[in-house]
Amino acid sequence: MATYRIAQLGGDGIGPEVLGEAVRVLTAVQDTDVRFCFERAEVGAAVYVRTGEDLPRETVELCRGADATRLGAAGLTDVRHGDGTELVPQVTLRMLLDLYAGMRPIKLYPGVPSPLRIPEGQVIDYVIFRENTEGLFASLGGGSKVGEELAVDTLVITRRGTERIVRRAFETCRARDRGAP
């Protein structure tokens, strides 16, 4: 039997509630071959208010050692850094762990109510890939403010970043069984 260690980062606001539902789903799909071991850690605005850190070292270490990490939500509108910028521990965690590939599967299951209408026999089944460490994320904290009227940020896209997200998308497509020759 395989047991997977999952770091649980509830975070703030509705985060713990969302994470609780994810745990219910994963618990329901456990069987004799696959089990999950959930370990909680703190992240976000509440821990920042208490300790001055939105992503404690212990949380990062748990995530490094886990097989997977589930993050509910992080941040509260009234909790900001001293300069007024929002807390973004989820982005910091992506950078630290090099979690560059945001994969978002989209599938329309038969019989599920949907505003989408497709021809009989057709399916919606695809995956959107998003690079999660470059773009505006790469300049995190590196923007500039000129007076009270102007703020500038830099969008960074590298060849390496582009190649690896494209490669990940290509490898995923090749691995999917589409029934095509």
Side-chain angles (χ1 to χ4, degrees), residues 83 85-86 88 91 95 133-146 149-157:
D83 65 0
T85 58
E86 68 180 304
V88 288
V91 176
M95 298 297 198
T133 58
E134 292 193 349
L136 290 174
F137 301 126
S139 65
L140 187 63
S144 59
K145 186 176 173 186
V146 180
E149 300 293 320
L150 177 67
V152 179
D153 213 338
T154 305
L155 184 74
V156 177
I157 300 171

Side-chain angles (χ1 to χ4, degrees), residues 18-145:
V18 169
L19 202 58
E21 293 304 309
V23 169
R24 285 183 56 200
V25 170
L26 290 173
T27 300
V29 299
Q30 291 183 113
D31 59 25
T32 56
D33 296 325
V34 176
R35 304 293 294 167
F36 301 107
C37 172
F38 303 103
E39 297 181 40
R40 294 176 189 248
E42 292 185 299
V43 66
V47 69
Y48 177 79
V49 167
R50 200 174 70 254
T51 69
E53 293 182 291
D54 60 357
L55 182 60
R57 182 184 49 77
E58 298 81 10
T59 299
V60 174
E61 292 310 311
L62 173 63
C63 293
R64 283 188 200 282
D67 295 301
T69 298
R70 302 283 319 156
L71 173 65
L76 297 172
T77 56
D78 59 336
V79 178
R80 302 275 176 173
H81 289 288
D83 65 0
T85 58
E86 68 180 304
L87 306 175
V88 288
Q90 67 278 24
V91 176
T92 304
L93 191 61
R94 281 187 215 148
M95 298 297 198
L96 291 172
L97 302 181
D98 197 26
L99 303 173
Y100 70 92
M103 298 171 55
R104 299 185 178 149
I106 292 103
K107 188 168 190 164
L108 179 59
Y109 291 95
V112 174
S114 170
L116 301 175
R117 299 291 173 249
I118 59 174
E120 186 69 33
Q122 298 294 309
V123 298
I124 295 176
D125 183 10
Y126 60 99
V127 181
I128 294 175
F129 285 80
R130 175 183 174 198
E131 206 295 328
N132 270 345
T133 58
E134 292 193 349
L136 290 174
F137 301 126
S139 65
L140 187 63
S144 59
K145 186 176 173 186

Side-chain angles (χ1 to χ4, degrees), residues 2-25:
T3 300
Y4 296 96
R5 191 170 162 227
I6 301 179
Q8 297 286 101
L9 313 180
D12 307 302
I14 65 166
E17 181 181 348
V18 169
L19 202 58
E21 293 304 309
V23 169
R24 285 183 56 200
V25 170

